[in-house]
């Protein structure tokens, strides 16, 4: 065995933390979109989707923060959620599409990838 079992476990936990963080970032976009569609939490279906995905997203973020630095985990979580929320808004026609907006979203994604690479 080239590595002790504990090193393999630590690597697996770190990989799982990143995967859970990515899924939690996607769920952030889901709850943000559902919140917008809930019309002040007055529509039941989007309100329930908001509540469930908010809780699951936060639990995932908390799980990821056990192995990842708080600043990195939070920035990646927000970056994924914000980028996907804006992209969905442009795709659905709720927000205007422009080259500048697309480039700014690409910049957010590049910064998130940079945080992962540097970690």
């Amino acid at each position: 065995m080239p590595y002790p079992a504990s090193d393999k476990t630590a690597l697996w936990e770190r990989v799982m933390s990143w995967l859970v963080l990515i899924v939690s970032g996607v769920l952030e976009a889901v709850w943000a979109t559902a919140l917008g569609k809930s019309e002040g939490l007055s529509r039941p279906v989007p309100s329930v989707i908001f509540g469930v995905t908010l809780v699951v997203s936060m639990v995932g973020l908390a799980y990821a923060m056990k192995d990842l630095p708080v600043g990195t985990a939070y920035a990646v979580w927000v970056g994924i959620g914000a980028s996907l929320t804006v992209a969905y808004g442009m795709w659905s026609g709720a927000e205007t599409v422009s080259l500048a907006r697309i480039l700014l979203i690409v910049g957010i994604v590049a910064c998130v990838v940079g945080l992962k690479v540097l970690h």
Side-chain angles (χ1 to χ4, degrees):
M1 272 179 29
Y3 300 105
S6 62
D7 286 345
K8 288 181 181 180
T9 302
L11 175 63
W12 175 249
E13 288 174 359
R14 184 162 291 221
V15 168
M16 282 304 297
S17 292
W18 279 105
L19 291 174
V20 168
L21 183 63
I22 291 166
V23 171
S24 296
V26 171
L27 290 175
E28 185 199 3
V30 173
W31 70 250
T33 302
L35 180 60
K37 293 184 180 294
S38 74
E39 297 177 8
L41 301 176
S42 65
R43 296 181 58 215
V45 173
S47 296
V48 169
I49 292 170
F50 160 72
V52 170
T53 55
L54 174 69
V55 169
V56 174
S57 179
M58 292 290 176
V59 168
L61 176 61
Y63 174 86
M65 285 183 176
K66 289 190 317 184
D67 293 313
L68 304 174
V70 171
T72 300
Y74 183 69
V76 169
W77 181 75
V78 169
I80 292 169
S83 298
L84 290 177
T85 302
V86 172
Y88 175 77
M90 289 191 304
W91 176 80
S92 68
E95 298 188 33
T96 58
V97 179
S98 70
L99 178 60
R101 290 180 75 127
I102 292 169
L103 291 174
L104 290 168
I105 292 171
V106 169
I108 291 171
V109 172
C111 289
V112 166
V113 170
L115 285 171
K116 164 59 176 120
V117 169
L118 291 175
H119 183 262

